């Protein structure tokens, strides 16, 4: 139980992060996205890459890249774990950091605040879900008159959940009482019987269900997103970013990193046991829980440039609730990496 409690605390970081504060770095002028895709050959000279990521789903492919020497024998990847908004901001501002796995709202906030950043891909989608231990709660209408525990007020998970409640005819704060908690706290309340229905994320949901088999998911956030937006795509949550300064210096290396990350993500899905062992080795997460959760983590690669429609809708949804949630404005096309 101690190990699973530790897991609930450490893997809750990704979607519980709210808005990133402004960082005082100057924006680098972005090159035009008009060049043909460069060759992605492995470098022959020794190269050291510093890559940052949270102890959660988007980092799993990076761990595979480290172990398999995906970038070539001459490339060493130094992986830096970030566990708070301040950690993330510091890594983004560090000129030695070339790539960052991060929530999509944080990426656009930093870009709009003038940081040297370019979104390469979306890799993690609707890991959010609503789970309950109450047998009477089976669909949206059953939430009326109840208390719903939601992680992190004014975070993307809060805004998206409220959007779905309204779409299903429920007024937040009137028909449904919203009680805000930390992610780990919500899980503990559910497992202790003090809460009956909560919103949480993977792989935390898997850890909860391993402790209580009566806990079940009652809302598919992917389907709800599609119903609200009319899009056929999933709800985006996290991605991988680089910097325009890195692209300008070595476009071939950036193109190769994108390709190898995609391959590593596919490997993660195909090899959950081995990927979970890497999560234990590098992130100190419980391998058994991660292995069981990987099929539910909504890991899927999509190039950012090709995902502008769904990303724009996502950012517009956050913007509707709070301009600050995306740094005050929608990003321009230079935000999206295009080889």
């Amino acid at each position: 139980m101690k190990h699973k409690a530790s897991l609930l605390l450490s893997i809750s970081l990704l979607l519980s992060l709210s808005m990133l504060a402004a960082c005082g770095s100057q924006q680098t002028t972005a090159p035009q996205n008009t060049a043909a895709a460069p060759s992605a050959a492995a470098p022959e000279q020794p190269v050291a890459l510093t890559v940052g990521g949270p102890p959660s789903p988007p980092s799993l492919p990076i761990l595979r890249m480290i172990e398999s020497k995906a970038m070539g024998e001459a490339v060493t990847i130094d992986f830096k774990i970030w566990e708070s908004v301040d950690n993330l901001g510091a890594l983004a501002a560090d000129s030695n950091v070339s790539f960052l796995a991060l929530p999509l709202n944080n990426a656009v906030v930093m870009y709009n605040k003038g940081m040297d950043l370019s979104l390469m891909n979306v890799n993690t989608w609707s890991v959010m879900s609503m789970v309950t231990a109450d047998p009477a709660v089976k669909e949206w209408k059953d939430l009326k008159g109840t208390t719903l525990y939601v992680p992190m007020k004014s975070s993307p998970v809060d805004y998206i959940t409220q959007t779905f409640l309204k779409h299903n005819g429920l007024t937040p704060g009137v028909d449904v009482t919203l009680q805000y908690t930390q992610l780990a706290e919500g899980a503990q309340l559910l497992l202790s019987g003090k809460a009956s229905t909560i919103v949480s994320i993977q792989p935390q949901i898997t850890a909860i269900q391993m402790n209580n088999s009566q806990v079940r998911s009652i809302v598919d956030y992917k389907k709800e997103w599609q119903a609200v937006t009319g899009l056929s795509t999933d709800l985006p949550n996290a991605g991988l970013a680089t910097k325009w300064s890195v692209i300008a210096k070595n476009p071939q290396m950036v193109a190769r990193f994108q390709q190898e990350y995609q391959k590593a993500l596919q490997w993660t899905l195909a090899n959950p046991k081995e990927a979970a062992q890497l999560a234990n080795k590098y992130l100190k997460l419980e391998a058994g829980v991660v292995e069981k959760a990987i099929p539910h983590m909504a890991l899927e690669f999509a190039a950012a440039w090709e995902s502008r429609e769904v990303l724009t809708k996502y950012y517009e949804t956050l913007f509707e609730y709070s301009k600050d949630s995306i740094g005050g404005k929608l990003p321009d096309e230079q935000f999206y990496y295009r080889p």
Side-chain angles (χ1 to χ4, degrees):
M1 178 66 71
K2 179 179 178 182
H3 292 300
K4 288 179 180 175
S6 175
L7 176 72
L8 294 180
L9 289 171
S10 62
I11 64 181
S12 297
L13 299 165
L14 174 62
L15 297 179
S16 65
L17 297 175
S18 57
M19 297 164 288
L20 184 68
C23 296
S25 59
Q26 298 297 316
Q27 185 171 17
T28 301
T29 302
Q32 295 298 312
N33 284 320
T34 56
S39 170
E44 297 179 359
Q45 300 300 318
V47 176
L49 293 178
T50 302
V51 181
S56 53
S59 293
L60 298 184
I62 299 172
L63 307 183
R64 166 61 178 173
M65 292 174 67
I66 294 171
E67 286 285 309
S68 66
K69 295 187 178 297
M71 293 295 290
E73 292 292 333
V75 178
T76 301
I77 297 177
D78 181 17
F79 182 62
K80 302 289 187 182
I81 299 174
W82 62 264
E83 297 185 296
S84 70
V85 173
D86 289 340
N87 292 158
L88 174 58
L91 287 175
D94 187 341
S95 61
N96 293 317
V97 175
S98 297
F99 301 95
L100 275 172
L102 74 175
L104 296 171
N105 67 303
N106 295 111
V108 74
V109 167
M110 290 191 289
Y111 177 80
N112 280 334
K113 296 301 181 182
M115 297 194 74
D116 176 13
L117 202 73
S118 177
L119 185 66
M120 297 174 66
N121 63 56
V122 181
N123 50 58
T124 309
W125 301 78
S126 54
V127 293
M128 292 180 277
S129 186
M130 189 181 296
V131 295
T132 187
D134 185 350
V137 177
K138 298 178 180 179
E139 53 185 320
W140 287 103
K141 67 179 183 179
D142 299 328
L143 292 172
K144 190 168 184 177
T146 69
T147 297
L148 176 64
Y149 288 77
V150 179
M152 298 296 289
K153 185 176 182 179
S154 300
S155 69
V157 66
D158 177 21
Y159 298 147
I160 295 297
T161 298
Q162 289 196 47
T163 297
F164 292 166
L165 285 168
K166 293 176 181 178
H167 182 73
N168 286 276
L170 298 170
T171 302
V174 177
D175 297 316
V176 180
T177 299
L178 298 184
Q179 182 68 46
Y180 294 101
T181 67
Q182 299 293 329
L183 271 167
E185 180 188 3
Q188 292 161 0
L189 289 171
L190 183 65
L191 290 172
S192 68
K194 295 179 180 178
S196 62
T197 307
I198 69 170
V199 177
S200 190
I201 66 170
Q202 287 289 0
Q204 189 178 68
I205 293 169
T206 295
I208 293 171
Q209 292 175 324
M210 289 176 71
N211 279 271
N212 183 352
S213 61
Q214 301 303 309
V215 174
R216 55 197 167 77
S217 175
I218 57 171
V219 172
D220 185 330
Y221 270 58
K222 176 180 179 178
K223 291 182 179 178
E224 292 299 324
W225 174 253
Q226 292 173 340
V228 168
T229 64
L231 300 174
S232 61
T233 51
D234 203 345
L235 168 64
N237 280 306
L240 184 74
T242 187
K243 300 174 180 178
W244 283 111
S245 55
V246 175
I247 297 170
K249 183 178 180 180
N250 197 337
Q252 292 184 347
M253 182 269 292
V254 174
R256 181 176 178 85
F257 199 95
Q258 175 91 310
Q259 293 171 2
E260 294 299 335
Y261 184 93
Q262 180 178 8
K263 293 177 185 177
L265 186 150
Q266 293 167 343
W267 177 91
T268 299
L269 293 173
N271 300 275
K273 182 175 182 179
E274 293 82 357
Q277 291 170 349
L278 295 182
N280 177 261
K281 176 180 178 179
Y282 288 93
L283 306 177
K284 308 305 179 185
L285 302 182
E286 187 174 333
V289 176
V290 176
E291 178 183 353
K292 192 170 182 179
I294 282 175
H296 309 291
M297 286 182 179
L299 286 168
E300 184 177 351
F301 180 91
W305 178 259
E306 298 172 357
S307 305
R308 298 190 309 283
E309 181 182 14
V310 66
L311 288 170
T312 297
K313 178 60 69 174
Y314 177 67
Y315 290 140
E316 287 175 344
T317 302
L318 300 184
F319 186 83
E320 181 180 340
Y321 282 88
S322 169
K323 294 181 180 180
D324 290 339
S325 68
I326 63 168
K329 61 182 179 180
L330 294 173
D332 56 31
E333 288 195 350
Q334 295 297 343
F335 174 62
Y336 302 103
Y337 166 73
R338 184 181 185 185

